[in-house]
Amino acid sequence: MATPDATGSSLLSTLPGEPDLNPFAGVDIGELETSLRRPRTLINILLSWLVTGMTLVALVPLFSVIWMLLWRGGRKLSLALFTQLPPAALEQGGGFGNAIVGTLIIVALAALISMPLGILSAVFMAQAPPGDRLAGAVRFAAKVLTGFPSILAGVFAYGAIVLTTGGYSAIAGAVAVSILMLPTIMLTAEDAIRMVPAKMKEAAIGMGATRTQTVLMVLLPTAFPGILTGIMLAVARAAGETAPLLFTALFSNYWPLSGHHPNLMQPTASLAVLIYNFAGMPFQNQVEMAWSAALVMVFMVLITNLIGQSLSRRQVQS
Amino acid sequence: MAEAKAISQAPTGLQRASDSAFRGLCYSFAWLSVLAVIFIVLRIAFAAAPAVRQYGLGFLTTRTWDPNTGQFGILPEIWGTMCTSGLALVIGSAFGVAAAVFLSEGYLGGFVFSLLKIFHVQFHPFWGKLPERVEQVLKNLIELLAAIPSVVYGLWGLFVIIPLIRPACNWLHLKMGWFAPFGTDLSGPGVLPAVLVLSIMILPTITAISRDALVSVPPKLRMAAYGLGATQWETILAVILPTAARGILGGILLAFGRALGETMALAMLVGNANSITISLFSPANTLAALLANTFPEAQHKEVGILMYAAMVLLGITLVVNMIGAFILQRASAGLEGGK
C-alpha cells in the first residue's frame, strides 16, 4: 500500500527537478484510481466498516442499560413504591418513598451551598482583568475539583462534618455532594457570563450603572439560561452520586423526621445508597426494588439533564 | 431625587455602598472557593498524618490488611487500581477514538445523505437537514452514557455483564488455564467485569474530547492530503490523527484520572479481595472500592489508616489530572498557533 507520504514525496521530488516537463512523471496515476482491486481502497473501506462497527458496539451498553431498567425496573413499578418505607429482610412489598425524599433534600441542600459560592466566584472570574492572580487560582481550584474522585468528597465530609458533629446526617451528605457540584456550576456560569455581548455591558456602564448594577441587571439576567444549564447538569450529577453519601448521609429505613418535624441531623436515606445496599442482598424483593429505584433515579437524572441541555440550546439561538 | 428626570444619573451614595459591598462579596467568595479546595486537601492530609508517621512508606509496599494485628498495607489496592484502570483505558480508548472518528468524519451523515439521494430529496429544505440532525442525535446518545449514574452501571454489571461473560470466561479457563490471565475461573465479581464496565464509563469522556480535537484540525490539512491523492483513511491515519494526537492524549489522561477515582461500579464488581492477581477472572480490589467498603464499618484507628489510603488516591488522581489538563491546554494553544 502506498502511504500518502510516499505519494507526496514522489510528487515533490519530480516537481523541482524537471520544471518544464510533465510534473506528474513520477506519479503512478493508476495508483490514484479508486477501485476495489487496489489494496488502498480496500483498506479504506475495511477501516470505515471497522469504525462503524466499533461505534455500534459502543452504543450496545447504553441500549442494554435502558432496556434492563425498563424491563426489570418497570415490571414492579407501582404507587406503593413511592409512598412506603423499605422492607425488612424477608418482608414482601414496601417502597422507597423515604429515599426519594432524602435524595431531594440532600440535592437541594447541596445546591443551596454550591450555588452562591459557584455563581459569585464565576462573576468574579468573568469580571476580573485578564491575568488576575486570584481569578487564575479560582479557575485552577475548579479544575482540580472537576477531577476530584467522588469518594474523596465523602472522606472529606466524614472528617470535617461527621466527626465534628458526632453523627451521620443529611447535612454531611449535602456538603460532600456540593463539592462535586461546585466546579460544574462555576465553570459553566463563567462561560455564560463571558458569552454576554460586550456591547450590553458597555451600554450599561455608559448609562452610569455601577458594576454591581451591570452584573445584577444586565449580565446575570442575560447569562441566566447558561447558568441554569450548569446548575441543572450539576444537580443531575449530584442526584446519582453514591460514593460521597455512603458514610456521610449513610442510610435509614425511616422518613427523615424526628417526631413530626423534618430532621437534617440524622442518617438519611437516598436512592443511590438504596440501590447499592439492595443490589448486594440475596433477597428477590430487594433486588427488584433496586432495579425500580434505578429506573426512577435514571429518569430523574435524564430529565434534569435534558432540561439543562435544551436551555443551553435556547441560549445559543438567542 | 428631584433631578432624577434625566435618563441617566450619577450613582447615589447607597448605590456606591452596595456596589462596593457586592464587589467585596464576589471577591470574598472567590477566595472562599480557593480556600475550600485547600481546606479539603489539608483536612484529608492532616487526618492521614498520624497513620503516615506510624506506617511510613511501608504502607504502600506491603500487602496485609489485618485490623486485629494492626498490620496494614495497600499494595494490592494500588495494583488493582492501576490494573483495572489501565485495561479499561485500553478498551475505552480504542472504542472511544473509533467513535470520535466516526462522529467527526460524518459517516452517519453521509449514509443518511446517500439514502436521501435515492429519493432525490438530498437538498430539500426539510429532509436536507436530516444528516446533521442524525449526527447530533448520535453524539447526544454517547453523551447520555456519561449521564447514567455509576451505581446503575454497577447494578447492570452485576446482573447483566457477569452472567453474560461467565460461560465464556470459564470455557477460556478450562481450555487455556495455563495462560496466567485465564488462571482462575470467574465465580462472580472479578477483574474482567469491572474492567468492561469501567471502559464503558470512561468512553464518553474520551469520545467527547477526541471528537473536539479531531473537529478542530484545520480543514486545509485534510484538503491538502486529499489533493495529494490520499484516500480518506490515509488522511485520517497520517494527517488528522497525528495533528489531533495531543488533544486525544489529554482526553485519554483525563479519562484515566476518572477511572482511577471511580468508586461505585468497582466496589460492586471487583470483588474486594485483598490479593495481587494477574488472572482476569479472580477478584481484586481498588483504592476507591476499599474506601467505600471499609469506611462505613471502620473503627476509629482504622479511619486514620483509610485517610492515608485516601491521600494516596488523591495524590495519584491529582497528578494524572494535572498532566491531562496541561496537555489539553498545550494542544488547544498549539492548534490556535498553527492557524
Side-chain angles (χ1 to χ4, degrees):
Chain A
M1 191 194 93
T3 64
D5 291 318
T7 335
S9 59
S10 67
L11 252 180
L12 282 177
S13 64
T14 50
L15 277 174
E18 316 150 84
D20 302 326
L21 297 172
N22 177 15
F24 300 111
V27 182
D28 179 7
I29 298 292
E31 184 68 25
L32 299 178
E33 181 196 17
T34 305
S35 156
L36 277 184
R37 278 169 311 186
R38 306 247 161 233
R40 303 174 59 200
T41 321
L42 204 60
I43 284 172
N44 199 41
I45 289 171
L46 285 180
L47 282 175
S48 296
W49 278 108
L50 182 71
V51 164
T52 311
M54 284 173 91
T55 310
L56 290 180
V57 170
L59 282 173
V60 167
L62 177 69
F63 289 112
S64 170
V65 168
I66 292 175
W67 164 249
M68 285 302 286
L69 282 174
L70 290 176
W71 181 55
R72 288 202 65 169
R75 216 166 36 177
K76 288 284 172 74
L77 214 57
S78 66
L79 193 63
L81 282 180
F82 296 89
T83 56
Q84 293 182 3
L85 291 173
L90 284 167
E91 200 182 331
Q92 288 303 306
F96 41 73
N98 62 337
I100 296 179
V101 175
T103 297
L104 293 178
I105 290 176
I106 292 171
V107 171
L109 280 177
L112 276 185
I113 300 172
S114 54
M115 261 160 43
L117 196 58
I119 295 175
L120 287 182
S121 303
V123 168
F124 178 83
M125 280 195 285
Q127 295 290 79
D132 185 272
R133 281 249 183 92
L134 180 56
V138 178
R139 211 165 290 130
F140 180 75
K143 292 248 167 81
V144 168
L145 283 186
T146 316
F148 197 67
S150 58
I151 184 91
L152 291 184
V155 170
F156 162 74
Y158 181 87
I161 313 283
V162 174
L163 287 184
T164 48
T165 59
Y168 302 104
S169 63
I171 302 272
V175 168
V177 170
S178 70
I179 295 172
L180 301 171
M181 291 174 72
L182 192 60
T184 316
I185 294 184
M186 215 188 265
L187 295 174
T188 354
E190 191 205 347
D191 269 355
I193 296 172
R194 279 187 190 280
M195 296 258 281
V196 175
K199 272 184 213 163
M200 294 176 72
K201 191 175 142 190
E202 284 154 14
I205 291 173
M207 293 290 286
T210 60
R211 304 237 346 224
T212 304
Q213 285 169 328
T214 318
V215 168
L216 291 183
M217 294 168 157
V218 177
L219 292 187
L220 285 184
T222 319
F224 184 68
I227 296 175
L228 206 59
T229 300
I231 294 174
M232 286 298 202
L233 293 182
V235 164
R237 185 183 167 195
E241 281 293 353
T242 318
L245 298 178
L246 276 178
F247 39 86
T248 51
L250 211 68
F251 190 73
S252 150
N253 278 323
Y254 308 101
W255 298 99
L257 300 169
S258 55
H260 283 289
H261 301 285
N263 185 353
L264 299 178
M265 292 312 292
Q266 64 182 16
T268 308
S270 56
L271 279 176
V273 178
L274 179 126
I275 296 170
Y276 176 62
N277 287 346
F278 280 13
M281 283 191 182
F283 310 114
Q284 187 64 24
N285 187 29
Q286 267 78 351
V287 171
E288 295 294 338
M289 200 164 280
W291 277 103
S292 301
L295 176 67
V296 172
M297 189 166 88
V298 167
F299 187 73
M300 277 162 54
V301 168
L302 289 189
I303 291 290
T304 325
N305 234 316
L306 289 179
I307 293 175
Q309 282 182 7
S310 67
L311 281 171
S312 76
R313 211 163 296 139
R314 190 181 301 166
Q315 185 204 17
V316 170
Q317 281 167 0
S318 64
Chain B
M1 293 300 282
E3 53 204 333
K5 280 174 192 161
I7 294 177
S8 61
Q9 64 182 49
T12 62
L14 183 66
Q15 281 166 340
R16 274 176 205 280
S18 66
D19 181 47
S20 45
F22 182 75
R23 281 160 79 165
L25 193 71
C26 284
Y27 188 74
S28 51
F29 268 64
W31 266 112
L32 196 62
S33 49
V34 174
L35 291 179
V37 173
I38 297 174
F39 178 63
I40 290 167
V41 174
L42 287 184
R43 191 71 190 75
I44 295 176
F46 275 126
V52 175
R53 267 197 298 276
Q54 192 181 347
Y55 291 91
L57 288 176
F59 186 62
L60 307 178
T61 52
T62 54
R63 50 171 84 187
T64 344
W65 185 280
D66 191 353
N68 297 324
T69 59
Q71 279 185 307
F72 296 99
I74 51 165
L75 188 62
E77 280 75 24
I78 295 179
W79 164 258
T81 306
M82 290 297 170
C83 198
T84 48
S85 301
L87 285 173
L89 200 66
V90 171
I91 303 175
S93 322
F95 282 89
V97 174
V101 169
F102 184 87
L103 284 169
S104 68
E105 291 291 315
Y107 277 113
L108 198 62
F111 175 69
V112 175
F113 191 78
S114 60
L115 272 186
L116 295 178
K117 220 169 170 179
I118 299 172
F119 299 103
H120 297 287
V121 286
Q122 69 268 42
F123 296 121
H124 189 275
F126 177 72
W127 297 107
K129 288 215 173 108
L130 207 59
E132 270 173 47
R133 287 208 191 126
V134 174
E135 292 266 317
Q136 198 63 37
V137 166
L138 187 67
K139 189 172 154 267
N140 288 345
L141 272 182
I142 288 187
E143 274 169 17
L144 215 59
L145 272 172
I148 293 175
S150 83
V151 69
V152 175
Y153 277 119
L155 187 70
W156 177 73
L158 216 50
F159 290 95
V160 178
I161 288 286
I162 291 180
L164 192 72
I165 64 172
R166 190 187 278 166
C169 291
N170 288 345
W171 182 81
L172 273 177
H173 169 61
L174 210 65
K175 298 285 175 194
M176 298 175 66
W178 47 268
F179 184 50
F182 304 146
T184 54
D185 59 346
L186 185 77
S187 54
V191 175
L192 188 64
V195 164
L196 288 177
V197 171
L198 197 55
S199 59
I200 295 165
M201 297 179 67
I202 60 174
L203 186 133
T205 314
I206 298 179
T207 303
I209 299 180
S210 306
R211 184 186 166 275
D212 284 349
L214 289 171
V215 166
S216 61
V217 170
K220 273 185 220 162
L221 293 181
R222 178 191 299 268
M223 300 301 161
Y226 286 165
L228 288 172
T231 62
Q232 187 180 20
W233 268 94
E234 286 165 358
T235 311
I236 293 171
L237 292 178
V239 178
I240 310 273
L241 281 179
T243 316
R246 245 195 220 158
I248 294 174
L249 190 66
I252 289 177
L253 270 176
L254 285 187
F256 188 53
R258 211 151 181 222
L260 291 172
E262 178 46 52
T263 314
M264 291 327 293
L266 287 173
M268 293 166 91
L269 294 172
V270 85
N272 308 314
N274 191 37
S275 59
I276 298 180
T277 170
I278 42 170
S279 166
L280 283 175
F281 305 148
S282 67
N285 208 352
T286 71
L287 280 172
L290 173 83
L291 288 173
N293 286 314
T294 323
F295 224 112
E297 289 123 32
Q299 302 302 315
H300 183 70
K301 185 160 176 281
E302 220 178 330
V303 166
I305 290 147
L306 287 170
M307 289 286 183
Y308 191 0
M311 209 180 74
V312 173
L313 177 63
L314 180 65
I316 297 175
T317 47
L318 271 188
V319 168
V320 170
N321 277 325
M322 275 181 198
I323 297 175
F326 181 70
I327 290 180
L328 269 184
Q329 213 170 355
R330 286 271 303 273
S332 57
L335 275 183
E336 270 161 25
K339 266 175 194 170

